[in-house]
C-alpha cells in the first residue's frame, strides 16, 4: 500500500514509530523540539546507499591506485596496488573486515595508500578527479550510476525530515571530501552538513589554496562519530540512522537524548537487488534490543529499494 508520506516504507511498527516520533517532536506539547534542536544524523555507506560488494569510495580508490601503479611500476610489488592490478579485492576486503572486528594491524598500510592518492594535491584538483569518477562509474552489480543507487526509502526520509524543519547531516567513516562532491545532488545534503574522515591539509602560500598533506587527521568511525558531531554541530542529535558496528556510539548518542530515536538498517533481503549481510554489524544487531534501537528490515520495511525501480 502506497502512502503520501514515506511511500516506499511498508506499513508496520517501524514506519509507525518513525512517523509518531516526527509528529511528537514537531507538534507543540510535552515532546516538542524547536527546529534548531531537530538534528538527524545518517551514516552513508550501507545506510543511504549500498556498500556491497565494495564501498563506493573504495571503487574510486582502486581506480586511482591502478592509475598510480601504471605510472610507477614499482608500486606493483606492494599492497594494495598488487591486489588492484591482479583484480583480487580480497586483501583490501580483509583489512576492512579486520577493522570492523577490532583489529587494525594492517590498517596503516591501507591508510598510507589512501593518503598517497591525494598527497600534495589541492582540494579543487582532487574534487575534479572525484567528479570525473562519478560521471562514468557504475555500481558493479546494479549496473547503474552511483547517483541512482541511493535507497529510495532513505531519500524519502531525508526529504520528509527537512520538510518538518530537521537538519539532515551525513556522519560517515568515509571521506568527508569524497561525499561532499555528490551529497547535494544525491541526498539534498549541503557540503557543510557532511561529517566524515578527513586528511591532513594546510594552506599553500604559493598555490593560494588548501593542499592535502601526509596523514589522516580524523578516522570518523565508532566512538569518534559522536565527538565529531558535537565538535561540528554543538548539538546532540535526536535521530540517528546507521547499519554497522561502527555506528553504535552514534546510535547511542541519539537514543540517549530526550525522546531520541535510533534506526539500524538490517540488510536481510535475499530476493531483491541488495546484497544481504550481517558481517560488520553483528554487535549492533545483537545490542539493538537492549538499547531500544529500531531495526529496519530491508526485506520487511522497504517496499522498493531504488529510484525508478520497482
Amino acid at each position: 500500500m502506497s502512502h503520501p508520506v514515506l511511500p516506499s516504507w511498508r506499513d508496520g511498527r517501524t514506519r509507525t514509530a518513525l512517523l509518531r516520533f516526527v509528529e511528537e517532536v514537531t507538534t507543540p506539547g510535552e515532546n516538542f523540539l524547536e527546529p534548531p534542536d531537530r538534528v538527524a544524523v545518517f551514516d552513508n555507506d550501507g545506510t543511504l546507499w549500498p556498500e556491497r560488494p565494495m564501498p563506493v569510495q573504495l571503487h574510486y580508490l582502486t581506480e586511482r591506485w591502478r592509475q598510480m601503479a601504471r605510472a610507477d611500476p614499482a608500486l606493483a610489488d606492494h599492497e594494495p596496488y598488487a591486489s588492484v592490478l591482479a583484480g583480487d579485492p580480497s586483501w583490501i576486503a580483509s583489512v576492512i573486515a579486520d577493522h570492523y572486528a577490532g583489529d587494525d594491524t594492517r590498517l596503516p598500510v591501507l591508510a598510507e595508500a589512501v593518503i598517497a592518492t591525494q598527497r600534495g594535491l589541492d582540494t579543487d584538483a582532487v574534487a575534479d578527479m572525484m567528479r570525473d569518477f562519478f560521471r562514468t562509474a557504475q555500481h558493479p552489480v546494479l549496473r547503474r550510476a552511483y547517483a541512482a543507487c541511493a535507497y529510495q526509502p532513505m531519500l524519502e526520509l531525508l526529504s520528509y525530515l527537512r520538510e518538518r524543519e530537521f537538519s539532515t547531516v551525513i556522519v560517515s567513516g568515509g571521506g568527508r571530501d569524497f561525499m561532499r562532491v555528490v551529497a547535494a545532488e544525491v541526498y539534498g545534503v549541503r557540503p557543510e552538513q557532511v561529517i566524515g574522515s578527513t586528511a591532513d591539509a594546510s594552506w599553500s602560500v604559493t598555490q593560494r589554496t588548501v593542499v592535502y598533506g601526509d596523514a589522516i587527521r580524523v578516522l570518523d568511525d565508532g566512538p569518534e562519530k559522536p565527538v565529531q558531531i558535537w565538535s561540528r554541530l554543538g548539538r546532540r542529535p535526536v535521530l540517528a540512522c546507521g547499519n554497522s558496528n561502527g555506528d553504535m556510539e552514534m546510535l547511542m548518542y541519539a537514543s540517549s537524548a530526550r525522546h531520541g530515536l535510533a534506526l539500524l538498517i538490517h540488510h536481510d533481503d535475499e530476493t531483491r537487488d541488495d546484497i544481504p549481510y550481517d558481517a560488520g554489524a553483528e554487535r549492533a544487531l545483537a545490542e539493538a534490543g537492549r538499547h531500544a534501537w529500531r531495526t529496519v528490515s530491508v526485506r520487511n520495511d522497504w517496499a522498493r529499494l531504488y529510484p525508478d525501480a520497482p
Side-chain angles (χ1 to χ4, degrees):
M1 180 178 180
S2 181
H3 304 271
V5 177
L6 305 183
S8 296
W9 291 72
R10 290 193 174 113
D11 274 331
R13 288 182 297 175
T14 301
R15 182 178 182 277
T16 299
L18 183 53
L19 292 176
R20 181 187 300 120
F21 162 78
V22 174
E23 193 64 27
E24 287 180 353
V25 301
T26 59
T27 302
E30 180 184 358
N31 299 336
F32 178 75
L33 294 174
E34 295 290 347
D37 293 320
R38 299 174 198 169
V39 176
V41 293
F42 295 81
D43 172 57
N44 187 41
D45 295 310
T47 299
L48 296 179
W49 65 9
E51 64 179 349
R52 298 297 174 99
M54 71 171 74
V56 180
Q57 188 171 2
L58 181 55
H59 186 177
Y60 164 76
L61 289 169
T62 58
E63 294 303 315
R64 285 284 293 131
W65 289 330
R66 184 176 289 107
Q67 294 166 4
M68 293 165 65
R70 287 171 177 166
D72 181 4
L75 292 175
D77 296 328
H78 306 280
E79 292 292 4
Y81 307 96
S83 294
V84 169
L85 292 175
D88 179 7
S90 58
W91 183 89
I92 300 169
S94 68
V95 175
I96 295 173
D98 286 352
H99 167 69
Y100 281 118
D103 179 3
D104 286 341
T105 305
R106 295 177 296 165
L107 193 62
V109 176
L110 188 61
E112 163 56 28
V114 172
I115 294 165
T117 63
Q118 58 191 32
R119 179 185 284 116
L121 299 177
D122 69 76
T123 53
D124 290 337
V126 173
D128 285 343
M129 288 191 292
M130 293 172 176
R131 290 189 188 96
D132 286 343
F133 167 80
F134 279 111
R135 287 189 187 101
T136 58
Q138 291 187 331
H139 187 282
V141 174
L142 300 175
R143 295 300 177 187
R144 57 195 303 177
Y146 280 115
C149 291
Y151 293 124
Q152 180 64 24
M154 299 306 288
L155 293 177
E156 293 169 1
L157 178 56
L158 288 167
S159 179
Y160 175 57
L161 291 172
R162 287 192 289 265
E163 289 173 3
R164 303 303 295 265
E165 297 185 272
F166 277 78
S167 297
T168 55
V169 181
I170 294 175
V171 183
S172 175
R176 177 198 63 194
D177 295 350
F178 182 78
M179 291 180 290
R180 280 177 169 177
V181 168
V182 293
E185 174 191 353
V186 178
Y187 306 126
V189 174
R190 300 190 305 272
E192 63 269 24
Q193 293 177 311
V194 175
I195 299 172
S197 297
T198 59
D200 187 38
S202 61
W203 172 252
S204 170
V205 175
T206 56
Q207 295 175 260
R208 298 188 180 184
T209 190
V210 177
V211 174
Y212 289 109
D214 288 317
I216 292 177
R217 179 174 293 178
V218 173
L219 181 58
D220 188 42
D221 197 37
E224 192 63 36
K225 286 195 172 188
V227 174
Q228 292 302 312
I229 291 169
W230 176 255
S231 297
R232 288 283 304 278
L233 305 179
R235 297 180 188 274
R236 180 192 287 262
V238 294
L239 172 63
C241 189
N243 77 300
S244 74
N245 298 336
D247 297 316
M248 291 177 65
E249 289 81 1
M250 180 174 75
L251 298 177
M252 291 179 198
Y253 198 32
S255 62
S256 299
R258 186 173 68 91
H259 314 305
L261 178 66
L263 304 177
L264 178 68
I265 307 297
H266 184 200
H267 295 276
D268 60 351
D269 194 335
E270 297 181 353
T271 66
R272 294 185 291 179
D273 289 331
D274 186 64
I275 298 172
Y277 61 96
D278 290 350
E282 302 93 338
R283 289 190 293 115
L285 292 167
E287 292 286 317
R290 187 165 74 88
H291 294 290
W293 302 337
R294 289 278 176 180
T295 300
V296 179
S297 166
V298 171
R299 179 183 62 231
N300 298 325
D301 290 316
W302 289 357
R304 67 170 177 153
L305 300 185
Y306 305 106
D308 304 319

